[in-house]
Amino acid sequence: MKFTDGFWQARPGVTALYAQEAHDIIPDGDTLRVHAPTKVIETRGDTLNRPMLSVSLSSPLDGVIRVRIEHHKGRRPSAGFDLVGATEGVGVAATHEKDGVLESGTLTSGGLTARITPGAPWNLTFESEGRVLTSSGNKSVGYMKLAPDAPVATEPVGEVGVTTSGLAPATSYVHEQLSLGVGELVYGLGERFGALVKNGQTVDIWNADGGTASEQSYKNIPFYLTNRGYGVLVNQSEHVSFEVASESVKRVQFSTAGEALEYFVFQGPTQKDVLERYTALTGRPARVPAWSYGLWLSTSFTTDYDEATVNSFIDGMRERELPLSVFHFDCFWMREFNWTDFEWDARVFPDPEGMLARLHEKELRLSAWINPYIAQRSKLFDEAADAGYLVHRPDGNIWQWDQWQAGMALIDFTNPAATAWFQQKLRVLLAQGIDALKTDFGERIPTDVVWHDGSSPEAMHNWYTQLYNQAVFEVLEEQRGEGDAVLFARSATTGGQRMPIHWGGDNSSSYESMAESLRGGLSLAFSGFGFWSHDIGGFEGKPDPEVFKRWVAFGMLSSHTRLHGSSSYRVPWAFDEEAVEVTRKFSHLKLELMPYLYAVGLEAHERGLPFMRPMQLEFPHDAGCDYLDRQYMIGRDLLVAPVFSADGTVEYYLPAGTWTNYFTGETVQGGGWRSETHSVMSLPLWVRGGAVLATGNRTDRPDYDYLDGLLVTIYPGAGENSTTTRVTSPTTGHEALITVVHGGTTTEVSSAGADIRVRLAGGSAVTTSNEKAVLSHV
C-alpha cells in the first residue's frame, strides 16, 4: 500500500503525519516509553491541536524487541498472534547521559539493543555486536489519514478488495519503515510463488485461494528476514501491506489500518539464528511420524472411484514394488453437495469401517479430506444453525454463499461449543479408521460478519485458519498421541508451523508450475515452516509423462511426497512404464535416506530450521546463493537441483568446498555454476564436504529401525575436526551417537548406542561400536 507520490509529495487525499522527534524518553520498568509529536516542538503552542504518537519498546524473549506505535490508545487493540514462547520482563530499559545531557534511551534484550536518540529528527536504531542492523529514521513512523477516495494502493489483490471480501476502505493507517543497506535482500512473507527475493515487491498479507500462478498466497506470514542477519514480525493478523524496497527503495514499509501497529525485531547474527528465535516465540513444528515421510497416493479430486478402484491402485503399487505409506480419500468420499457432513457416500462406500480395516491390513495409513464449511444440503447444517455454531451477518442471519458448496456456511471456531461439536465429528471419523486429515480451504473468510467472541472481522480473515487447523490437530494428538499427528493443510498464518504438514495448493501440470511450487516452498521455509509438500505432476490438468517423471524426482526429495491431481489419476502406470521405474528408483532412494531425513525432521522440531532449506539460509556468506530459487538443501548436507526442462538440461550452483555426487561418487570443488543433462532417472544430488551421512538398509517403508544395519558414510572435505551425528530409531526411540575425528591421513569413528557399519565415501564398510574404527585415506 503506497501513500506517497515520489519522495516529496503525498498521494491525493492522503494526509501524512510523521513522528518528527523523540520529545521525551522514559524508562518504565522493563519498558522504554517515547512520545513522538508530529511536529518538532519549538514553542509551547506547538503542543496544541496536533497528533502525537506513543512508542513503547519492550521484550517478549531474549534477543527480541517489541515496538508498539499508537495514535489513539482507546481503540480495541489487535489481539496479535499466539506467542507461545513469550516470557515478559526480559528487557532492560535505560537512559544514558553525558555531562548531564540525555544522549539516548535504550531497551536491551540479550545481544540486541534498540537505541532512540532524543529530539529531532526521529532516529531509532537496532544494534547487535557493535553494528546497526536496521533503523527507523525520518518519515519512518507515520500516521496516514485518508480521504474516502484516496488512491493509496495498487489494484486490490484478490480477496483484499471490497467486491470479494467486504473489507471496507479504512480512513487511517499506521506505518513503519525500516532501512535496508546496500546489497540487503529480503526473504519470507509466507508461501509466495513469485521471486524468492522480495525486494521491489508489494506484498499484501491477506489469505486467498488463488493457486500457485499468482501473487496471492494461501499462507501469508507477516515475517521477513534479510541477509544482514535479523528478522521482523508484524504482530497483527489483520491485513498488513508490505512495500519491500518499492515505495521507498531503501526501506521496507509495513502498514495496517487503524490506530496502532506492533512489530518485533529478531536478533541473528545468522538467518538460522533468526529462525530459531522466531520459532521459539511463535512455536516450532510438532514432531512428525516417520511413516508420514513415505509416499502418499490420492484418489485425486473429481475422478471416479470406489473400493475396487482404491484396491486396484494399492495392489498395483505393490505389484510394481512401489512402496506406499498413506492412501488419501479426497472430497468425494462424501456425497456431492454435502461437504462437510463427515458421512461416507453409501452409494460408493457401503461399508466404510470394513473397507478401512481391510486397507489397514495392507499396512497403510489412511487420510481423508475435510474443510471447515457446512453445505446447506448437509444434515449438519440445521444442527449447527440451531445450536448457533455458524458465522452470522450483522443482521443476525447466517452468512452463506454458493461458491464451492451450494448454500455453504462457516463454522464459528471462536465459539468453544462449536469447536467442541466439530471435534466430536472428527473423533467419529478417526474411530472409523482414518489416521490423518487433509485440512483444505480456510482462506475465503468474509469480513461482513459477526463472530461469537466479538473478534474483529478483519483480524479473523487471516486468523481463522489457525483456529480451524488447531481444532483438528488437537483431536489428532489426543487420539494418536504426540509425534503421530499429521495434518495436510493448505492455509496458514503465523504460528501455523506448529501443526504440520502443509502443501503448496493448486498448481498445474507444467515445468513452470513445478518451479513456482518450489519458489513457494522456499519462501515458506524462510517464514518459519519446517515441513512442506506439493502435488506431484501438478493438480490442474494431466501432466506430460516427462513432466510427471521430473516432478516425481523432485517430490521424492521433498519433506513429504504426495501423488494427487484434479481430474486425472496420478498412479505412475497411467503415464508409461518408465514413469513406474522413475517412481521406484526415487521412492527407494528416499527410504534409503530415511535415517538422515528423519534427523533433519527432528532438527525442524527442536530448532525450528526447515527441512528443505534455501541455499542462502545454508550459505549466508556466499553471494552466489542469494537469488537461487531452483535448488535447495535438505538439511545441512544434501544439495538437490530438480530438472525443470524437457531435454533434461539443468544449470545449478555449487558453493565453495568439496562436493560428492551421491549417485556416481564423483568428487568436485564448488564455487561456480554447472550445466548438465540428466536422464529422467537422475538429477543433481550432491553431498556436502565432510558430511557424515547415515543411510538405512530398507527400501520398502519409511518407519523401520534405522539402527538395524545402519550404514554411515564419511565424505571428503572435512579438514581436521571432529563431529557428532545422532541417529534416532522411530520404532524403538533408541539413539546412536557417532563421533568422527578427522586427522591428516586417517579418520577415527566410534559409535555409542548401536553397532554400525562405517566407510569412507567410495570405500568398503567396516563394523564398529564403542571400539574405534580407524579408516585410512590412502
Side-chain angles (χ1 to χ4, degrees):
M1 180 169 288
K2 296 179 175 67
F3 301 96
T4 56
D5 178 12
F7 184 75
W8 290 279
Q9 300 182 92
R11 291 196 172 198
V14 176
T15 301
L17 302 168
Y18 298 104
Q20 296 290 354
E21 67 173 12
H23 186 68
D24 52 25
I25 303 171
I26 306 168
D28 181 12
D30 56 13
T31 302
L32 190 69
R33 303 193 186 279
V34 184
H35 296 101
T38 54
K39 181 185 185 303
V40 175
I41 304 302
E42 299 173 315
T43 70
R44 287 185 171 182
D46 291 336
T47 65
L48 306 176
N49 303 312
R50 74 181 63 262
M52 181 179 69
L53 300 174
S54 300
V55 181
S56 60
L57 292 87
S58 58
S59 175
L61 190 70
D62 189 70
V64 183
I65 289 178
R66 173 195 287 117
V67 180
R68 183 167 181 81
I69 304 164
E70 296 173 300
H71 176 226
H72 287 162
K73 294 175 63 175
R75 299 284 183 92
R76 180 176 178 176
S78 169
F81 297 110
D82 188 6
L83 306 177
V84 296
T87 54
E88 299 294 336
V90 298
V92 177
T95 54
H96 308 274
E97 297 183 355
K98 183 177 182 180
D99 299 329
V101 178
L102 179 64
E103 279 198 323
S104 66
T106 58
L107 191 288
T108 299
S109 175
L112 181 63
T113 295
R115 186 181 305 277
I116 180 79
T117 54
W122 173 263
N123 183 33
L124 170 63
T125 60
F126 297 91
E127 305 166 6
S128 179
E129 299 180 350
R131 67 187 181 102
V132 174
L133 302 177
T134 187
S135 61
S136 168
N138 186 40
K139 291 188 176 181
S140 287
V141 174
Y143 179 66
M144 306 288 114
K145 296 172 65 177
L146 273 61
D149 58 349
V152 295
T154 56
E155 290 299 311
V157 180
E159 292 158 311
V160 175
V162 174
T163 56
T164 52
S165 72
L167 182 62
T171 58
S172 63
Y173 289 80
V174 180
H175 83 45
E176 171 68 295
Q177 293 181 345
L178 295 179
S179 64
L180 292 173
V182 175
E184 186 169 0
L185 303 176
V186 175
Y187 305 93
L189 296 175
E191 181 188 52
R192 318 208 79 85
F193 304 103
L196 181 64
V197 174
K198 300 304 185 289
N199 295 50
Q201 298 183 32
T202 297
V203 176
D204 285 294
I205 304 298
W206 191 257
N207 283 358
D209 178 3
T212 65
S214 78
E215 63 184 3
Q216 297 176 19
S217 173
Y218 303 103
K219 307 171 189 69
N220 286 272
I221 313 298
F223 168 77
Y224 69 87
L225 48 72
T226 87
N227 60 348
R228 288 177 65 94
Y230 68 91
V232 176
L233 168 68
V234 178
N235 187 32
Q236 298 188 221
S237 64
E238 299 93 337
H239 172 229
V240 180
S241 181
F242 284 84
E243 296 290 344
V244 185
S246 50
E247 183 167 14
S248 171
V249 298
K250 58 187 177 184
R251 294 176 173 180
V252 175
Q253 174 179 293
F254 40 92
S255 61
T256 189
E259 298 290 309
L261 174 66
E262 181 172 292
Y263 67 93
F264 299 97
V265 175
F266 295 82
Q267 176 191 7
T270 70
Q271 289 88 319
K272 286 185 179 180
D273 295 324
V274 172
L275 287 179
E276 287 199 61
R277 293 186 196 279
Y278 171 74
T279 56
L281 184 63
T282 62
R284 289 180 176 149
R287 179 167 50 89
V288 298
W291 57 260
S292 71
Y293 290 99
L295 179 59
W296 297 51
L297 175 63
S298 166
T299 58
S300 290
F301 173 33
T302 60
T303 50
D304 291 326
Y305 50 86
D306 55 15
E307 184 175 356
T309 311
V310 170
N311 280 316
S312 72
F313 290 167
I314 294 169
D315 294 342
M317 296 289 284
R318 182 163 298 179
E319 291 163 4
R320 293 168 174 83
E321 297 181 334
L322 305 178
L324 186 63
S325 292
V326 184
F327 191 84
H328 170 71
F329 293 88
D330 216 52
C331 314
F332 282 95
W333 68 270
M334 292 176 282
R335 184 168 180 156
E336 70 277 6
F337 294 116
N338 282 16
W339 308 338
T340 297
D341 66 357
F342 299 103
E343 291 191 1
W344 294 81
D345 184 350
R347 300 169 302 176
V348 184
F349 300 110
D351 178 23
E353 290 86 354
M355 176 186 67
L356 298 179
R358 289 186 287 274
L359 293 177
H360 276 136
E361 290 173 359
K362 297 183 178 185
E363 298 187 85
L364 292 172
R365 296 323 198 277
L366 303 172
S367 168
W369 176 96
I370 61 171
N371 68 192
Y373 314 139
I374 305 294
Q376 184 168 287
R377 189 180 185 278
S378 166
K379 71 177 185 181
L380 298 185
F381 185 93
D382 289 342
E383 182 181 337
D386 292 344
Y389 295 161
L390 303 177
V391 176
H392 285 74
R393 297 183 182 274
D395 62 7
N397 290 316
I398 292 171
W399 182 92
Q400 291 179 264
W401 73 354
D402 293 325
Q403 291 197 48
W404 184 238
Q405 291 289 282
M408 56 160 266
L410 284 74
I411 298 168
D412 188 343
F413 289 109
T414 73
N415 182 344
T419 301
W421 172 82
F422 181 77
Q423 290 178 317
Q424 186 55 36
K425 306 297 182 185
L426 298 177
R427 292 186 184 97
V428 173
L429 185 58
L430 297 183
Q432 290 179 318
I434 291 299
D435 302 293
L437 291 166
K438 174 183 172 180
T439 48
D440 207 352
F441 288 85
E443 304 94 359
R444 291 178 175 172
I445 307 305
T447 56
D448 54 342
V449 294
V450 175
W451 295 90
H452 173 82
D453 70 348
S455 289
S456 157
E458 289 76 19
M460 276 300 299
H461 174 86
N462 288 335
W463 187 243
Y464 184 87
T465 177
Q466 184 76 356
L467 300 183
Y468 163 41
N469 282 300
Q470 186 171 285
V472 179
F473 198 76
E474 285 175 356
V475 173
L476 286 167
E477 283 201 323
E478 166 198 291
Q479 297 293 306
R480 299 198 57 88
E482 291 187 11
D484 205 36
V486 175
L487 297 178
F488 223 90
R490 188 174 76 173
S491 58
T493 186
T494 298
Q497 71 271 6
R498 301 199 303 267
M499 300 166 286
I501 308 157
H502 295 82
W503 102 96
D506 296 348
N507 46 22
S508 56
S509 300
S510 67
Y511 290 112
E512 292 80 7
S513 194
M514 182 179 163
E516 74 201 18
S517 295
L518 176 56
R519 291 196 298 270
L522 297 180
S523 184
L524 191 66
F526 268 131
S527 307
F529 282 67
F531 303 98
W532 176 80
S533 186
H534 45 95
D535 291 343
I536 291 175
F539 177 71
E540 293 292 348
K542 182 175 181 180
D544 175 88
E546 300 306 302
V547 170
F548 178 79
K549 294 170 213 176
R550 298 295 184 184
W551 210 320
V552 164
F554 167 38
M556 293 294 180
L557 291 168
S558 302
S559 87
H560 288 79
T561 305
R562 185 175 73 158
L563 296 170
H564 177 66
S566 178
S567 57
S568 58
Y569 303 124
R570 289 293 179 268
V571 289
W573 56 92
F575 300 94
D576 57 32
E577 281 307 307
E578 189 177 52
V580 174
E581 296 175 18
V582 170
T583 306
R584 183 185 303 117
K585 173 173 179 173
F586 284 98
S587 61
H588 287 190
L589 170 66
K590 184 172 190 180
L591 301 181
E592 174 185 288
L593 288 169
M594 274 306 301
Y596 173 75
L597 302 182
Y598 190 69
V600 174
L602 290 178
E603 190 175 25
H605 166 62
E606 294 165 357
R607 297 181 58 195
L609 300 180
F611 184 102
M612 298 170 66
R613 299 178 186 175
M615 297 297 295
Q616 205 281 333
L617 181 65
E618 198 59 47
F619 299 92
H621 303 300
D622 186 339
C625 293
D626 285 348
Y627 288 86
L628 299 182
D629 60 8
R630 300 194 304 274
Q631 61 186 80
Y632 56 94
M633 300 293 293
I634 297 178
R636 180 192 179 279
D637 290 330
L638 288 180
L639 184 152
V640 183
V643 178
F644 299 106
S645 64
D647 62 2
T649 58
V650 55
E651 293 184 340
Y652 63 96
Y653 178 80
L654 281 183
T658 302
W659 295 86
T660 302
N661 188 296
Y662 184 84
F663 297 119
T664 68
E666 176 191 9
T667 297
V668 301
Q669 292 300 309
W673 285 85
R674 295 175 65 86
S675 180
E676 299 170 354
T677 301
H678 285 256
S679 77
V680 293
M681 302 298 290
S682 177
L683 85 174
L685 177 62
W686 292 88
V687 185
R688 192 173 183 174
V692 178
L693 191 67
T695 54
N697 68 347
R698 294 185 64 169
T699 57
D700 59 331
R701 61 186 304 141
D703 48 342
Y704 57 93
D705 183 1
Y706 304 148
L707 304 185
D708 183 9
L710 181 70
L711 174 63
V712 173
T713 303
I714 301 165
Y715 285 83
E720 296 190 16
N721 61 18
S722 63
T723 61
T724 299
T725 300
R726 179 183 64 167
V727 178
T728 304
S729 169
T731 57
T732 67
H734 295 158
E735 293 184 350
L737 294 177
I738 299 109
T739 302
V740 178
V741 180
H742 297 281
T745 59
T746 61
T747 295
E748 294 183 354
V749 184
S750 61
S751 171
D755 292 339
I756 65 170
R757 294 177 300 140
V758 61
R759 66 176 182 176
L760 297 178
S764 301
V766 299
T767 301
T768 185
S769 57
N770 288 323
E771 297 292 328
K772 289 183 180 178
V774 180
L775 306 176
S776 175
H777 300 177
V778 293

